[in-house]
Amino acid sequence: MERRPNCMNGGDGPTSYFQNSSHQRAGISAATAFIQDGIAEELNLGVILHNNDVNTARNSFAIADLGCSVGPNTFLAAEAIIEAVRLKYYSKSSPAGTAAALPEFQVFFNDQVGNDFNTLFRSLRPDAGYFAAGVAGSFHRRLFPKSSIHFVHSSYALPWLSRVPKEVRNENSASWNKGRIFYTEAPGEVWTAYAAQYAEDLRSFLQARAEEVVIGGLMALLFPFSQSENSSDESRLSRLFNLLGSTLVDMAKRGEIEEEKVDSFNLPIYLPSSTEFKALVEENGYFSVVRTEAMPPPVTGAVSEGFARAVRMNMRAANEGLISNHFGSQVVDDLFEKYEKKLIVDSTSDLLENSTGEATELFVLLKRKLNSCH
């Protein structure tokens, strides 16, 4: 499974990400105000578009949505960015508003090569008001020419690692993650391996974006994060992952799947702390952090049957590809039916309600510096 790209369920059927991403949509909607404020306060159109000459060929504004999946959430984000740029352009306080024509907009939708781009573009409105293109490939490497992107957006994709740390699947390693699929209830060595892989991946991500984003360009990132600085994370998402792991363990004990299969399966996901993320941005040196907002989960509720089913479908839409690849597609229906029941009856299910209002998601706005520290 190492380095296998993970993609959300394609199509628009009942188990698709298209139909089961309301949590993500609510989060993107909540972050829209931060994006619009950031564009109004931090984006200098006159500088980044080089629009002193109205005939310049660079009178276009390029947006990249990284980890776009199949929509329609990605369109919501793109349209919010474009509307904010238009408002900025027409603002009396913007020199660009009187110096040149409104730029044309180009939106690049990026995800792994296995992403269902067909469904994505079938749901794109013909009157969207921008030019759209798909860009397949990992965002842990370069995707665009140097200094060609003005705004980068990514929601809920950054915690996905480029691979599972190889140590956690090696039974001769101190980091072997036997009987678990996540790191937050594992020995410290497992968390260390995951943290190291995340740091490697984020360094690659930031370096690639540093080359692609124009000076003064912005990058808006929204992702689940950890309030803990170590492996003791007890966020709602961590509990949901661990509950999925315990469901697989139960199935192995009943002989429904092989125990060895469970021991060798790990989710390629890491939830960084705010401190951890900011330290890696500072280490990179090409971006300044201009805004951070810790947000509560956009969708909450008691663990009723309806809520449990919504969680089950969202988790299935995001993880079915990995599970089918490892265990076989024949186990998927049974696994997630058992998972839903476990959500309802598990003794810790009350903790999933997040009644304390704990922040679980982090919005970060970065700006490409005029000069780096390197």
Side-chain angles (χ1 to χ4, degrees), residues 1-8 112-114 160-164 265 268 318-326:
M1 190 179 74
E2 187 169 348
R3 290 194 180 278
R4 179 186 183 274
N6 179 66
C7 297
M8 307 299 103
Q112 299 278 8
V113 295
W160 287 95
L161 302 175
S162 64
R163 65 177 182 180
V164 172
F265 179 73
N319 298 286
E320 181 172 351
L322 289 173
I323 291 168
S324 294
N325 183 66
H326 190 83

Side-chain angles (χ1 to χ4, degrees), residues 10 123 125 209 283 307 368 370:
S123 56
R125 293 186 295 108
R209 305 295 84 77
E283 175 192 302
F307 184 75
R368 180 66 165 83
L370 289 171

Side-chain angles (χ1 to χ4, degrees), residues 33-271:
F34 304 142
I35 292 175
Q36 292 173 332
D37 288 347
I39 290 172
E41 297 169 6
E42 299 291 340
L43 196 65
N44 188 325
L45 291 175
V47 170
I48 69 170
L49 294 177
H50 303 285
N51 266 346
N52 294 321
D53 178 2
V54 296
N55 295 316
T56 178
R58 300 192 66 181
N59 189 27
S60 63
F61 191 94
I63 300 165
D65 191 299
L66 307 182
C68 66
S69 191
V70 296
N73 297 345
T74 189
F75 302 138
L76 175 68
E79 290 165 8
I81 294 164
I82 290 171
E83 180 61 24
V85 173
R86 284 178 173 148
L87 289 174
K88 175 77 172 184
Y89 169 83
Y90 287 120
S91 170
K92 292 180 180 179
S93 62
S94 172
T98 58
L102 180 70
E104 294 184 300
F105 293 94
Q106 171 82 69
V107 181
F108 297 100
F109 295 104
N110 156 260
D111 213 317
Q112 299 278 8
V113 295
N115 185 58
D116 185 0
F117 286 101
N118 288 332
T119 293
L120 175 70
F121 285 104
R122 276 199 302 268
S123 56
L124 175 65
R125 293 186 295 108
D127 60 345
Y130 55 85
F131 298 96
V135 179
S138 170
F139 57 45
H140 294 112
R141 60 173 176 81
R142 284 279 304 279
L143 295 165
F144 307 101
K146 289 185 178 181
S147 300
S148 64
I149 302 297
H150 302 98
F151 198 104
V152 170
H153 171 264
S154 183
S155 293
Y156 299 99
L158 208 52
W160 287 95
L161 302 175
S162 64
R163 65 177 182 180
V164 172
K166 59 181 181 297
E167 303 96 317
V168 306
R169 297 187 293 110
N170 180 0
E171 59 183 286
N172 297 316
S173 168
S175 302
W176 187 34
N177 201 23
K178 177 178 172 58
R180 292 172 294 268
I181 68 170
F182 204 51
Y183 62 87
T184 55
E185 291 183 350
E189 292 86 352
V190 178
W191 171 76
T192 299
Y194 267 88
Q197 184 63 54
Y198 174 79
E200 177 185 322
D201 286 346
L202 187 60
R203 288 187 182 106
S204 298
F205 175 90
L206 291 170
Q207 186 59 38
R209 305 295 84 77
E211 296 185 55
E212 297 166 349
V213 176
V214 301
I215 300 299
L218 299 178
M219 183 153 59
L221 306 172
L222 175 65
F223 52 89
F225 80 115
S226 172
Q227 293 278 13
S228 174
E229 300 295 332
N230 53 45
S231 61
S232 63
D233 176 51
E234 295 183 354
S235 67
R236 183 169 71 165
L237 187 54
S238 291
R239 297 188 189 105
L240 291 174
F241 288 145
N242 288 322
L243 208 61
L244 182 62
S246 69
T247 306
L248 285 166
V249 169
D250 290 347
M251 292 176 70
K253 289 178 179 177
R254 291 191 292 268
E256 296 167 352
I257 55 177
E258 298 176 22
E259 182 180 351
E260 293 79 7
K261 286 282 190 179
V262 177
D263 292 341
S264 60
F265 179 73
N266 294 271
L267 292 173
I269 300 170
Y270 181 78
L271 309 180

